[in-house]
Amino acid sequence: MYIDVLTQVNFYDDKLFTYSVPSNFINSIKIGSRVIIPFGNKKIEGFVMSFCDKKEGFIIKDIIDVLDDDSLLTDEMISLGKYMSETYVESLINCYKAMLPSALKFNNNKTSIKKEKYIVINNLDEVEKVSEKNIIKLLKKEGKVKKSKISNKKALKILIDKNIVKEIEEEKYRLNVEYKKTNKLKLTDNQKKAFDEINNSDEKIYLLRGITGSGKTEIYMDLIEEVLNSGKTAIMLVPEISITTQLIDRFRGRFNSKIAILHSSLSNGERYDEYRRIIRGEAHIVIGARSAIFAPLSNIGIIVIDEEHESTYKQENTPRYTTLDIALERIKYNNAKLLLGSATPSLESYARAKTNKYKLVELLERINKKELPKVEIIDMKEEMKKGNDILSDSARLKIEDRLIKKEQIMILYNRRGYSNYLICNECGEVLKCPNCDISLTYHKVDNSMKCHYCRYKINKPNICPNCKSKHIVLRGSGTEKIEEYLNLKYRDLRIVRMDRDTTSRKGSHEKIIQDFNDGKYDILLGTQMIAKGLDFDNVTLVLILNGDNSLNIPDYRSSEKTFQLLTQASGRAGRKDKEGEIVIQTYNPNHYSILCAKEHDYISFYNMEMNIRKKLNYPPFCFLVAIRVISNDYKLGESIIDKINAYLNNNLDNKYTILGPSISIKIDNKYKFQCIIKYKDKNKIYEVLKNIVDHYKNSKIKLEIDFNPLKL
Ligand code: ADP
Ligand code: ZN
Ligand code: ZN
């Protein structure tokens, strides 16, 4: 028997190599399983792509080992990899690797399968002793019993020796979850209407625009239940799994054992088990972040992408895929439905819904017709004149009011650390990361200056490294400083901080969310992490301290991001019985994204923003692709991006707009140079990009092709 194997020999090389399969492996080898092959004088890993005939004129070697009993890539996955490779101008092997959980990426390891020993009846015979009788009684009642559960080992041994019972081994899945059973809620009339519009229609793609607290999750669950009842499976995608514990609990409560969760904080073994439960058809619903779109489910009936506007649905490493592309491909293959849900759909999605490419379904009232919270906008320029640099008078009064009433508060400050830069008052030098050309952030906990782009970290200097002056000061603030400020201001305040620094340990997110929910804290303070998806009954005030932080990012999406963040954050207040209130502090009180967020007015925002995008020719009026050259050597990188720019200009006509070349900052000692192409029709683009990729295949620089780039 001969097989063609795909392996990673050269970065862009997708050549197949033929191997023979010794007889002892013939039964275990399947298309899509991983094998170890000899290559030169090395042993490397590869995927079995097909069975083939013997190739004459070559010396064909035997494979060394088969790593997986179950095939890891289904037929659908194999063709999906080919689609990705074409769409993103990426090597096939990288696409397959992206589909697999990290435990299964090329690491030359067999992940072990955990086994558990059980005792079952073998040959029932009369027994005399009471202790033996008890064991038989238990086995008769339960069928099989864990060996560890039988305490009288002596009696057990006698029974085994007499062949009356025997020991068997069964695979044990490592992930063990506790859950509370929850009941299905009766959909409100509005929810039912939205549900019917999706369930009773033959359209394939739906956009559910449902304001925060309108009950979207309940609709997802009902649609998924319908799908399961018809014998099909479902994928439920969420932007970030660690902040989605509440949604997962609701799903578990309703569907428990049918669910598999693909979670980055699972151990390798747990993930391997979850993956195999899916392949074997034991799990019917897969919940996970972006990469769960590759879950090897078969017979998919629906894919739900919750908070579809979130940037986490774009993968930022190779292959730089957009989850939506993959979802569209999978619903085509499975003849399934795709449901995009959001309170603040991306402009692209809403524009597609308006032009009937998606079916638009809207839920514009909260559950029980609860009002959306009132939003107050505070002009911080005025507050600064009064000396209020962190809290406005109004925010302070409202905090004090909630503390007295024992209601909870969420405070959003979208920057972590203590101070965001250290500046010398004598020479004006700002302390920067030597690897990244970005100012270092002060972290008070360990008196350090850290780079938020690489891992660079030093102790805070006491004198200016440039002019040796002692007059160096910390400026700007981050969540650490806000926490300290609040603790000094309010004695006995119970405040918990949630940002990347407090949530690096496994399970720490979940614990903060649970403790806050249990009323152990008065205030939850955090970065944009706390803005999404959380649902606390007792929160009646949401305070956004630097509401315009995201407006200052030089990106065509900065207004959209600001509107989304403010709307999502506002949606966290007053979700149950109590009224909610929002305070947004900003230096741009008249910016349309802030004014529209105040009025909860998605449509006005959409219209204004679409006008601007049209004028400037940005998505959704065109597509973007970035071509980046990454190099340790500045001169080399610069000369190559210039050549690429010239090539693009010579080969693309004036229907394409080429921006750049530009030098983005140095990150981690590497310089990034880029060109952006704006295009409407992608045909010519592929050919041109492929030529560039081929040309620099063996070059010293690294080339990145990034469709729908997040950062310009
Ligand atoms: P969204 O995802 O649209 O923000 P959720 O699905 O989280 O909204 O629902 C908001 C709140 O309303 C949740 O606490 C949920 O339990 C509750 N809820 C949703 N649907 C119903 C219903 N049909 N009856 C009663 N409560 C509901
Ligand atoms: Zn750095
Ligand atoms: Zn100085």
Side-chain angles (χ1 to χ4, degrees):
M1 182 199 254
Y2 297 92
I3 52 173
D4 277 335
V5 177
L6 179 69
T7 187
Q8 186 141 52
V9 195
N10 196 333
F11 201 74
Y12 292 107
D13 210 344
D14 283 334
K15 207 169 135 51
L16 295 173
F17 296 91
T18 303
Y19 286 85
S20 52
V21 182
S23 56
N24 54 325
F25 290 133
I26 284 187
N27 288 328
S28 52
I29 209 145
K30 296 192 185 87
I31 290 181
S33 40
R34 290 176 308 161
V35 288
I36 302 276
I37 50 175
F39 197 91
N41 48 15
K42 279 197 261 173
K43 291 183 194 172
I44 58 174
E45 212 170 288
F47 288 110
V48 180
M49 295 313 287
S50 52
F51 296 106
C52 62
D53 296 329
K54 185 172 185 205
K55 305 241 172 21
E56 297 303 332
F58 291 95
I59 300 168
I60 295 188
K61 294 184 194 164
D62 280 353
I63 61 163
I64 298 170
D65 200 1
V66 182
L67 288 178
D68 310 296
D69 297 333
D70 302 301
S71 160
L72 290 183
L73 298 170
T74 59
D75 287 350
E76 184 190 359
M77 294 295 135
I78 289 182
S79 59
L80 191 57
K82 291 176 186 157
Y83 161 83
M84 283 173 76
S85 167
E86 301 241 312
T87 309
Y88 303 118
V89 197
E90 183 55 63
S91 75
L92 197 51
I93 190 82
N94 278 344
C95 296
Y96 288 132
K97 281 163 70 181
M99 294 178 179
L100 296 175
S102 59
L104 301 176
K105 288 193 181 138
F106 283 13
N107 51 12
N108 270 310
N109 279 334
K110 271 189 186 174
T111 305
S112 69
I113 292 174
K114 205 166 165 185
K115 297 267 170 74
E116 175 115 350
K117 293 192 168 111
Y118 290 91
I119 302 298
V120 291
I121 292 176
N122 186 32
N123 229 328
L124 200 53
D125 211 342
E126 283 300 305
V127 286
E128 263 110 66
K129 289 215 191 84
V130 178
S131 57
E132 291 167 19
K133 274 188 182 150
N134 282 343
I135 294 178
I136 297 291
K137 215 163 109 191
L138 184 68
L139 286 172
K140 273 190 174 160
K141 188 165 149 241
E142 310 222 335
K144 69 178 183 196
V145 175
K146 274 188 200 165
K147 187 178 179 187
S148 55
K149 282 244 176 89
I150 300 177
S151 50
N152 193 335
K153 297 282 182 251
K154 216 165 145 191
L156 180 62
K157 185 167 183 312
I158 295 169
L159 287 173
I160 290 175
D161 288 345
K162 287 189 187 158
N163 264 331
I164 294 174
V165 306
K166 69 177 177 189
E167 190 179 302
I168 57 166
E169 262 193 345
E170 275 183 16
E171 170 163 10
K172 176 177 189 264
Y173 294 129
R174 273 156 279 215
L175 190 63
N176 240 328
V177 279
E178 286 167 28
Y179 70 99
K180 271 199 230 95
K181 185 129 189 59
T182 51
N183 290 324
K184 182 169 162 171
L185 299 172
K186 185 168 182 313
L187 295 188
T188 62
D189 291 347
N190 282 331
Q191 282 173 315
K192 180 80 173 77
K193 188 166 160 285
F195 169 86
D196 285 340
E197 280 179 55
I198 300 167
N199 197 47
N200 300 341
S201 153
D202 290 330
E203 298 286 332
K204 287 293 166 223
I205 313 170
Y206 300 81
L207 175 65
L208 173 61
R209 178 168 80 93
I211 59 171
T212 55
S214 59
K216 295 186 287 298
T217 314
E218 214 55 41
I219 296 179
Y220 301 154
M221 288 196 283
D222 279 17
L223 287 166
I224 287 174
E225 187 175 295
E226 287 286 315
V227 160
L228 298 195
N229 287 343
S230 68
K232 297 187 174 185
T233 62
I235 297 181
M236 174 76 221
L237 296 181
V238 294
E240 235 173 288
I241 201 124
S242 49
I243 56 168
T244 322
T245 47
Q246 293 174 326
L247 178 138
I248 292 175
D249 288 346
R250 279 163 73 181
F251 268 80
R252 277 225 187 278
R254 189 146 150 197
F255 300 108
N256 182 40
S257 62
K258 295 203 173 86
I259 297 178
I261 305 226
L262 296 176
H263 191 315
S264 58
S265 73
L266 299 183
S267 71
N268 278 348
E270 286 170 339
R271 264 206 268 185
Y272 185 55
D273 291 351
E274 290 292 275
Y275 200 78
R276 282 187 4 279
R277 278 182 61 221
I278 301 168
I279 288 221
R280 295 173 169 181
E282 292 167 21
H284 299 172
I285 306 173
V286 174
I287 305 180
R290 177 179 69 228
S291 63
I293 192 62
F294 298 115
L297 283 171
S298 48
N299 204 7
I300 298 173
I302 192 168
I303 298 177
V304 181
I305 305 185
D306 189 27
E307 309 292 357
E308 64 90 29
H309 62 279
E310 285 289 343
S311 56
T312 49
Y313 287 119
K314 170 75 195 303
Q315 160 105 341
E316 285 293 82
N317 305 314
T318 50
R320 297 185 154 65
Y321 64 86
T322 300
T323 305
L324 178 64
D325 293 342
I326 312 292
L328 290 172
E329 203 54 25
R330 295 204 73 179
I331 62 158
K332 231 192 292 165
Y333 188 98
N334 288 279
N335 193 23
K337 287 183 179 178
L338 171 62
L339 173 58
L340 308 172
S342 175
T344 52
S346 66
L347 288 205
E348 282 90 336
S349 294
Y350 200 68
R352 283 178 200 142
K354 297 286 276 183
T355 51
N356 295 323
K357 291 189 186 80
Y358 302 162
K359 182 174 160 81
L360 181 63
V361 179
E362 295 184 296
L363 258 184
L364 303 176
E365 269 177 14
R366 281 188 149 184
I367 290 291
N368 301 329
K369 312 224 183 311
K370 272 207 63 73
E371 293 283 314
L372 280 163
K374 284 210 176 49
V375 180
E376 182 185 5
I377 295 180
I378 308 278
D379 183 351
M380 283 309 277
K381 295 192 295 285
E382 295 302 317
E383 294 293 320
M384 287 296 272
K385 288 181 197 155
K386 296 188 250 170
N388 295 336
D389 58 343
I390 293 183
L391 283 187
S392 58
D393 287 336
S394 171
R396 194 169 39 74
L397 289 173
K398 285 184 173 138
I399 291 177
E400 286 159 12
D401 172 65
R402 296 318 192 273
L403 290 178
I404 290 168
K405 289 194 199 145
K406 303 244 172 288
E407 292 173 357
Q408 287 173 300
I409 305 164
M410 286 168 78
I411 302 183
L412 177 81
Y413 194 86
N414 208 1
R415 187 179 286 137
R416 69 195 172 98
Y418 188 86
S419 296
N420 54 326
Y421 59 104
L422 182 71
I423 186 166
C424 171
N425 275 341
E426 300 275 343
C427 73
E429 175 100 344
V430 171
L431 192 63
K432 286 185 172 172
C433 172
N435 307 325
C436 300
D437 221 15
I438 277 171
S439 62
L440 296 174
T441 301
Y442 178 59
H443 287 249
K444 197 172 185 180
V445 234
D446 54 359
N447 195 39
S448 71
M449 305 291 307
K450 283 191 209 165
C451 172
H452 286 185
Y453 283 75
C454 70
R455 283 163 183 274
Y456 185 80
K457 177 179 168 185
I458 51 168
N459 286 334
K460 177 180 166 285
N462 295 319
I463 54 168
C464 169
N466 186 41
C467 72
K468 311 281 178 265
S469 157
K470 277 189 228 155
H471 300 285
I472 51 171
V473 287
L474 292 163
R475 290 259 179 83
S477 36
T479 43
E480 256 183 64
K481 186 166 172 179
I482 307 289
E483 182 181 23
E484 181 185 271
Y485 170 89
L486 290 167
N487 272 323
L488 286 174
K489 196 162 177 72
Y490 300 107
R491 275 213 295 151
D492 304 326
L493 182 71
R494 300 173 310 155
I495 181 169
V496 62
R497 176 159 62 91
M498 184 155 124
D499 55 29
R500 242 198 297 159
D501 299 308
T502 63
T503 54
S504 51
R505 252 180 313 112
K506 181 174 169 171
S508 43
H509 270 109
E510 289 85 338
K511 182 156 173 26
I512 294 173
I513 293 171
Q514 189 62 51
D515 287 351
F516 187 64
N517 199 32
D518 293 345
K520 292 188 187 154
Y521 297 102
D522 308 309
I523 297 185
L524 171 62
L525 163 72
T527 53
Q528 97 308 344
M529 243 180 220
I530 68 166
K532 308 167 204 166
L534 297 175
D535 189 8
F536 301 111
D537 297 353
N538 195 32
V539 170
T540 59
L541 175 64
V542 171
L543 217 66
I544 302 164
L545 295 187
N546 52 351
D548 36 27
N549 186 41
S550 49
L551 273 182
N552 302 324
I553 300 164
D555 188 298
Y556 73 94
R557 271 161 306 204
S558 63
S559 301
E560 187 182 4
K561 292 285 155 225
T562 304
F563 176 76
Q564 288 166 344
L565 180 67
L566 297 181
T567 308
Q568 292 292 339
S570 314
R572 298 313 113 213
R575 290 171 69 90
K576 272 282 159 68
D577 312 326
K578 296 173 189 151
E579 290 290 305
E581 238 183 324
I582 315 295
V583 177
I584 301 176
Q585 300 189 165
T586 171
Y587 291 91
N588 294 289
N590 297 317
H591 193 279
Y592 65 98
S593 62
I594 293 177
L595 292 175
C596 290
K598 172 181 160 66
E599 301 300 331
H600 309 284
D601 187 353
Y602 177 82
I603 301 296
S604 297
F605 175 77
Y606 171 82
N607 289 329
M608 280 189 244
E609 185 66 14
M610 285 293 271
N611 273 331
I612 295 172
R613 300 280 179 95
K614 188 166 187 184
K615 246 183 241 151
L616 302 178
N617 188 29
Y618 270 111
F621 295 93
C622 66
F623 298 103
L624 302 177
V625 57
I627 302 150
R628 300 195 190 100
V629 170
I630 298 151
S631 170
N632 295 319
D633 178 345
Y634 188 93
K635 279 259 160 306
L636 179 70
E638 192 180 33
S639 76
I640 291 183
I641 199 74
D642 284 342
K643 279 187 205 150
I644 290 176
N645 185 42
Y647 182 81
L648 293 174
N649 279 298
N650 290 334
N651 288 280
L652 293 172
D653 61 34
N654 59 10
K655 289 204 293 284
Y656 301 86
T657 310
I658 296 151
L659 307 178
S662 64
I663 304 132
S664 63
I665 31 167
K666 179 170 78 161
I667 300 283
D668 222 355
N669 278 321
K670 293 187 189 83
Y671 299 92
K672 265 192 192 188
F673 303 83
Q674 80 176 3
C675 286
I676 304 259
I677 310 173
K678 289 180 173 176
Y679 65 97
K680 291 196 167 71
D681 157 39
K682 62 187 173 190
N683 282 332
K684 184 85 184 151
I685 289 279
Y686 280 108
E687 188 191 317
V688 168
L689 292 179
K690 192 118 192 43
N691 288 341
I692 295 174
V693 166
D694 284 345
H695 188 80
Y696 291 103
K697 208 191 297 196
N698 294 317
S699 140
K700 274 197 202 128
I701 57 113
K702 193 172 164 244
L703 198 65
E704 257 177 33
I705 305 288
D706 190 3
F707 287 89
N708 307 318
L710 282 187
K711 294 192 194 85
L712 289 196

